[in-house]
């Protein structure tokens, strides 16, 4: 067999055959099988079928498993050696090459090599079609078609007759198949392979479990839930099996983490998972989506009463105190419920619907549950539309500043103007911030809106100066989230607004009671730049004296709800006086918001307020309207003259 060469058919041509040249190494010598492509006359190739003395089989292999193949061609010598007719072989699986008496160890050895796409040679006893045993040498070569990507096996079979020799495999260090030693080694190897397969199988199950389960609670994770949701939706479409989604969110989870530690938070999540398992059945799907959010899918059996009962039970059970290391705290939960029905265009929307219902429940005071309604759907659609419009608005710079005067109580002249953002919507007109800021915040657009407004304010101040009108300072509202943004200081510096003409009013000061390093740094930087800091809406329960001591703002603004009642409610005046006293004792200027009448203005001025702001002096107005007002009044908005003889107030705001 030294230098033996085989040429097989590859492609048809009227006068030629494109063939593969396969060169095997000499017997007993390790070496590579060389495969070449050549073109020979068709008349020469046609003689392979009749004159080649070795049995040849060409089989197409599976892309995934080399041991799975279908025979596509064989020559005449193959039918002579094996006793199989060509029609019995072509189209059959490769197993037809394995006789019933071929040794099991050899058979497994062949399968292993084929699975690994290895070229090899084996000498063994095999059966002809009639059952006769004979010695054969099988040579296997892996071929591939670069155009189609198909894999092929070329098997040549040489009839060795009944020679009394031991089987051999021309594989380096391979044992003799029929020897006792070789058989024992094969059995030992197969045993190791079985054990390794078992280990890999268990590992695969573990990996699959980890991929589908939440590591902390053992519930389904988000990935598994999303896969299962598609299954539930498919069942709804095919069989009409309607179901409910219950979106569960813990109300005070962050508080538990902050006060008792993250270990306690983890224990709480595990306890909640245990509770949800207890309250649901085996047919329900319970998953943890992340953080403190859970979701339940439950089939609708008879009525929605079972769903509402489950929601009731979850809310009620979650009101019980949670204990950890001898410490107790209340957590509570809110639940949003939505139904997936066959009539829905997009049943997968049920999760988003349940989330909307959850948001509604939380907005109503938490510790409750809410069913999703068509009104919520309309609101959700409107929010999505608004979100899209906001993105366009940022690109088109549709946000503009409006200004409300802040008056010096002593002189009656304008001391500042609070800038209030408005959205100049192309179809809806001028929109107040209450109509869009929440959506903008959820989308992370506040920074972009701030950049647009800062640019507008800088331009407005320049135009006021060019017009010769006096606007000493402008105030801007920022959320605590923006103050906690490290880029906020950069935005202030790059705005072009001189620091001495800028006041930053901090809203949502509830967060300042637990001020982080970034917020502290931002406030210190603002102070160092010369920017005036004001604390807005003091007295509403959001801010605290501790927050005042931490921030040390220059200005304290009393919430308008207190100011509006000082004229009619005698009990409010001492409270307002106390707030003014706190501000004064800490060296702050005090602004009274919500001044709507002359009486409001005079009373709070007499109580010690330094600045006045409210509709009495002007509603929020555009840049042009404010400029005209400043020109018309010369900057003096109010004259604090004495009362007339009847005791009534003699002057109103200009």
């Amino acid at each position: 067999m030294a230098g033996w060469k085989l040429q097989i058919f590859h492609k048809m041509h009227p006068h030629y055959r494109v063939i593969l040249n396969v060169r095997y190494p000499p017997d007993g010598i390790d070496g590579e099988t060389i495969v070449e492509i050549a073109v020979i006359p068709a008349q020469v190739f046609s003689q392979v079928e009749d004159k080649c003395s070795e049995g040849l089989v060409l089989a197409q292999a599976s892309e995934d498993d080399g041991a799975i193949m279908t025979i596509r061609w064989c020559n005449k010598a193959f039918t002579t050696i094996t006793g199989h007719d060509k029609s019995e072989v072509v189209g059959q699986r490769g197993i037809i090459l394995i006789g019933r008496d071929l040794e099991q160890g050899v058979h497994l050895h062949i399968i292993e090599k084929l699975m690994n796409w290895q070229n090899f040679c084996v000498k063994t006893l095999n059966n002809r079609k009639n059952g006769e045993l004979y010695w054969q040498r099988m040579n296997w070569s892996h071929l591939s078609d670069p155009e189609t990507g198909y894999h092929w096996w070329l098997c040549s079979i040489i009839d060795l007759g009944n020679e009394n020799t031991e089987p051999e495999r021309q594989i380096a260090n391979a044992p003799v198949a029929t020897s006792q030693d070789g058989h024992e080694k094969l059995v030992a190897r197969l045993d190791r392979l079985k054990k390794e397969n078992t280990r890999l199988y268990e590992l695969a199950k573990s990996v699959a479990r980890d991929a589908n389960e939440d590591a902390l609670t053992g519930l389904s994770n988000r990935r598994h839930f999303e896969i299962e949701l598609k299954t539930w939706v498919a069942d709804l479409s095919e069989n009409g099996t309607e179901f409910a989604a219950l979106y569960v969110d813990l109300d005070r989870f962050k508080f538990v983490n902050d006060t008792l530690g993250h270990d306690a938070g983890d224990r709480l999540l595990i306890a909640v998972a245990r509770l949800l398992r207890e309250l649901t059945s085996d047919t329900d799907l319970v998953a943890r989506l992340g953080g403190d959010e859970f979701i339940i899918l439950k089939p609708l059996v008879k009525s929605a009463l079972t769903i509402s009962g489950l929601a009731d039970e979850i809310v009620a059970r979650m009101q019980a105190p949670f204990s950890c290391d001898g410490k107790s705290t209340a957590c509570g939960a809110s639940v949003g419920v939505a139904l997936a029905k066959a009539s829905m265009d997009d049943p997968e929307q049920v999760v988003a619907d349940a989330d909307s219902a959850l948001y509604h429940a939380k907005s109503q005071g938490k510790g409750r549950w809410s069913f999703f309604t068509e009104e919520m759907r309309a609101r959700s659609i409107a929010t999505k539309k608004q979100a899209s419009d906001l993105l366009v608005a940022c690109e088109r710079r549709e946000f503009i500043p409006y200004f409300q005067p802040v008056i010096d109580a002593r002189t009656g002249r304008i001391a500042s103007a609070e800038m209030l953002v408005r959205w100049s919507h192309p179809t809806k007109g001028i929109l107040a911030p209450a109509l869009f800021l929440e959506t903008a915040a959820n989308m992370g657009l506040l920074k972009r809106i701030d950049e647009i407004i800062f640019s507008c304010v800088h331009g407005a101040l320049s135009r006021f100066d060019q017009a010769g009108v006096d606007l000493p300072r402008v105030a801007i509202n920022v959320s605590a989230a923006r103050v906690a943004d490290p880029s906020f200081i950069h935005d202030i510096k790059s705005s072009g607004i001189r620091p001495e003409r800028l006041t930053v009013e901090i809203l949502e000061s509830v967060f300042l009671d637990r001020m982080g390093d970034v917020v502290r740094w931002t406030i210190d930087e603002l102070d160092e730049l010369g920017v005036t800091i004001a604390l807005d809406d003091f007295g509403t329960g959001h801010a605290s004296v501790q927050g005042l001591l931490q921030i040390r703002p220059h200005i304290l603004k009393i919430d308008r709800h207190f100011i509006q009642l000082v004229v009619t409610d005698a009990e409010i005046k001492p409270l307002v006086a106390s707030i003014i006293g706190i501000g004064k004792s800490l060296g702050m200027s005090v602004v009274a918001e919500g001044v709507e009448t002359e009486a409001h203005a005079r009373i709070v001025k007499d109580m010690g307020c330094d600045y006045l702001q409210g509709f009495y002096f002007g509603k929020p107005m555009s840049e042009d309207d404010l400029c005209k007002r400043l020109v018309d009044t010369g900057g003096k908005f109010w004259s604090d003259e004495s009362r007339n003889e009847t005791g009534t107030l003699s002057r109103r705001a200009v």
Side-chain angles (χ1 to χ4, degrees):
M1 288 292 292
W4 176 80
K5 172 179 170 182
L6 169 69
Q7 297 183 320
I8 65 167
F9 162 78
H10 182 62
K11 284 187 177 179
M12 295 295 295
H13 187 274
H15 304 292
Y16 298 97
R17 298 294 185 269
V18 182
I19 58 125
L20 298 174
N21 298 328
V22 184
R23 296 179 182 272
Y24 290 98
D27 292 348
I29 299 177
D30 292 335
E32 294 183 352
T33 299
I34 301 172
V35 181
E36 302 172 335
I37 297 178
V39 179
I40 62 172
Q43 294 88 344
V44 175
F45 178 79
S46 64
Q47 298 177 51
V48 172
E49 176 123 9
D50 297 327
K51 295 185 177 181
C52 182
S53 62
E54 299 180 13
L56 302 178
V57 172
L58 191 61
Q60 185 177 352
S62 165
E63 293 183 7
D64 302 320
D65 190 339
I68 299 175
M69 66 188 77
T70 302
I71 297 174
R72 299 301 185 192
W73 175 87
C74 67
N75 68 349
K76 185 176 180 180
F78 172 83
T79 63
T80 302
I81 293 170
T82 64
H84 290 288
D85 187 75
K86 186 174 183 178
S87 62
E88 298 173 337
V89 175
V90 175
Q92 297 300 310
R93 298 288 289 273
I95 193 67
I96 198 172
L97 303 177
I98 307 299
R100 65 175 182 269
D101 294 321
L102 188 140
E103 185 185 351
Q104 183 181 18
V106 177
H107 186 190
L108 293 173
H109 175 75
I110 292 172
I111 291 175
E112 179 186 4
K113 295 301 177 184
L114 293 174
M115 289 178 65
N116 291 308
W117 305 100
Q118 292 180 328
N119 296 341
F120 66 99
C121 176
V122 61
K123 186 168 95 173
T124 185
L125 276 170
N126 204 351
N127 300 95
R128 305 186 201 276
K129 179 183 178 182
N130 61 9
E132 177 189 351
L133 278 171
Y134 73 107
W135 288 97
Q136 67 173 197
R137 177 179 280 108
M138 302 176 75
N139 292 281
W140 291 85
S141 297
H142 173 220
L143 313 175
S144 61
D145 185 343
E147 291 188 8
T148 64
Y150 294 154
H151 294 272
W152 296 80
W153 284 110
L154 172 64
C155 177
S156 84
I157 298 176
I158 301 174
D159 188 349
L160 302 177
N162 297 317
E163 59 181 57
N164 188 20
T165 58
E166 294 295 325
E168 61 184 65
R169 267 167 273 166
Q170 293 180 350
I171 307 295
N173 302 319
V176 178
T178 58
S179 68
Q180 184 64 28
D181 179 61
H183 185 268
E184 290 177 355
K185 287 182 178 180
L186 280 172
V187 171
R189 185 176 182 186
L190 287 172
D191 185 58
R192 288 196 303 273
L193 287 173
K194 288 179 181 178
K195 290 180 179 178
E196 179 65 10
N197 284 340
T198 301
R199 186 187 70 81
L200 292 174
Y201 176 71
E202 293 300 325
L203 179 61
K205 288 201 303 183
S206 176
V207 170
R209 183 171 59 252
D210 291 343
N212 292 331
E213 286 187 4
D214 174 60
L216 179 64
T217 63
L219 299 177
S220 291
N221 58 18
R222 178 182 288 274
R223 173 186 172 279
H224 186 239
F225 169 76
E226 290 174 350
I227 293 172
E228 284 297 305
L229 176 61
K230 293 184 183 298
T231 302
W232 285 59
V233 169
D235 190 38
L236 171 64
S237 301
E238 295 170 6
N239 305 314
T241 309
E242 298 180 335
F243 63 93
L246 293 87
Y247 210 123
V248 182
D249 184 80
L250 307 188
D251 291 331
R252 303 176 75 238
F253 180 68
K254 185 178 185 303
F255 177 78
V256 174
N257 266 339
D258 292 343
T259 56
L260 300 182
H262 290 280
D263 181 61
D266 288 346
R267 293 194 212 177
L268 174 59
L269 293 173
I270 294 170
V272 172
R274 190 184 308 118
L275 171 65
L276 296 180
R277 282 198 197 95
E278 177 188 333
L279 296 178
T280 54
S281 63
D282 293 339
T283 58
D284 302 338
L285 174 65
V286 185
R288 180 187 175 211
L289 299 182
D292 60 342
E293 295 182 349
F294 300 83
I295 194 161
I296 301 169
L297 298 185
K298 187 176 185 65
L300 286 177
V301 183
K302 294 182 179 179
S303 73
L305 290 178
T306 56
I307 307 301
S308 61
L310 175 58
D312 273 331
E313 188 71 12
I314 293 171
V315 171
R317 294 282 292 274
M318 283 300 301
Q319 289 176 349
F322 168 70
S323 298
C324 180
D325 295 334
K327 297 179 181 178
S328 245
T329 187
C331 182
S334 299
V335 182
V337 182
L339 303 182
K341 298 201 170 186
S343 58
M344 295 174 65
D345 294 331
D346 181 15
E348 287 192 42
Q349 180 68 23
V350 68
V351 176
D353 292 347
D355 190 25
S356 296
L358 171 65
Y359 178 83
H360 177 75
K362 283 185 171 291
S363 69
Q364 298 301 306
K366 302 182 180 181
R368 63 187 66 210
W369 66 272
S370 177
F371 251 126
F372 182 76
T373 64
E374 287 304 317
E375 181 183 352
M376 294 180 198
R377 188 184 305 279
R379 191 183 305 123
S380 175
I381 293 172
T383 299
K384 290 179 181 178
K385 176 65 168 62
Q386 186 180 73
S388 176
D389 289 349
L390 280 169
L391 292 173
V392 175
C394 287
E395 291 297 318
R396 296 178 178 174
R397 301 176 68 87
E398 294 175 353
F399 301 100
I400 58 175
Y402 265 44
F403 302 89
Q404 185 174 34
V406 179
I407 308 304
D408 187 322
R410 182 178 56 84
T411 65
R413 300 187 63 82
I414 188 169
S416 177
E418 180 178 355
M419 190 284 299
L420 301 163
V421 65
R422 295 291 188 267
W423 180 4
S424 181
H425 196 282
T427 59
K428 299 179 181 179
I430 303 299
L431 300 182
L435 298 177
F436 64 87
L437 273 190
E438 182 179 1
T439 303
N442 292 335
M443 296 176 66
L445 294 178
L446 292 185
K447 174 179 169 61
R448 178 67 180 129
I449 293 174
D450 280 352
E451 292 171 353
I452 296 170
I453 291 299
F454 286 166
S455 175
C456 293
V457 169
H458 175 253
L461 288 174
S462 298
R463 287 186 288 273
F464 287 148
D465 293 342
Q466 292 171 5
V469 297
D470 183 27
L471 181 60
R473 186 182 298 274
V474 65
I476 59 172
N477 289 296
V478 295
S479 67
R482 278 296 280 141
V483 177
D485 183 352
S487 68
F488 179 66
I489 292 297
H490 173 268
D491 294 342
I492 291 289
K493 290 180 178 179
S494 60
S495 68
I497 304 172
R498 300 207 311 269
E500 64 271 17
R501 297 188 73 177
L502 181 63
T503 298
V504 171
E505 296 187 0
I506 300 175
L507 302 173
E508 302 171 16
S509 43
V510 60
F511 297 109
L512 298 173
D513 290 339
R514 296 185 294 276
M515 186 159 38
D517 293 338
V518 176
V519 174
R520 178 73 270 171
W521 174 83
T522 299
I523 291 173
D524 290 343
E525 285 291 305
L526 289 172
D527 194 45
E528 187 173 333
L529 285 173
V531 174
T532 300
I533 300 172
L535 189 62
D536 202 6
D537 294 338
F538 188 81
T540 61
H542 291 171
S544 69
V545 175
Q546 182 184 3
L548 286 176
L549 294 173
Q550 287 181 304
I551 302 170
R552 290 282 179 173
H554 306 93
I555 296 174
L556 182 66
K557 301 188 74 172
I558 304 175
D559 186 72
R560 63 187 182 87
H561 292 96
F562 292 99
I563 302 302
Q564 289 173 352
L565 294 174
V566 294
V567 176
T568 58
D569 192 338
E571 294 180 355
I572 290 295
K573 290 184 68 174
L575 182 57
V576 172
S578 297
I579 296 174
I580 295 172
I582 290 172
K584 295 290 186 180
S585 68
L586 295 175
M588 304 172 191
S589 298
V590 180
V591 178
E593 296 182 295
V595 177
E596 296 187 353
T597 66
E598 175 85 12
H600 285 115
R602 198 172 294 279
I603 289 172
V604 295
K605 174 185 180 297
D606 292 344
M607 292 177 70
C609 285
D610 302 290
Y611 300 99
L612 313 176
Q613 179 181 354
F615 288 176
Y616 180 61
F617 305 106
K619 295 181 178 181
M621 61 191 78
S622 67
E623 174 190 335
D624 291 341
D625 289 341
L626 177 60
C627 185
K628 182 177 185 303
R629 188 82 179 273
L630 289 171
V631 170
D632 292 345
T633 63
K636 190 174 181 65
F637 278 64
W638 182 51
S639 177
D640 181 21
E641 296 183 356
S642 303
R643 298 172 183 271
N644 59 24
E645 295 179 357
T646 62
T648 59
L649 299 172
S650 59
R651 291 291 303 273
R652 298 185 62 81
V654 177

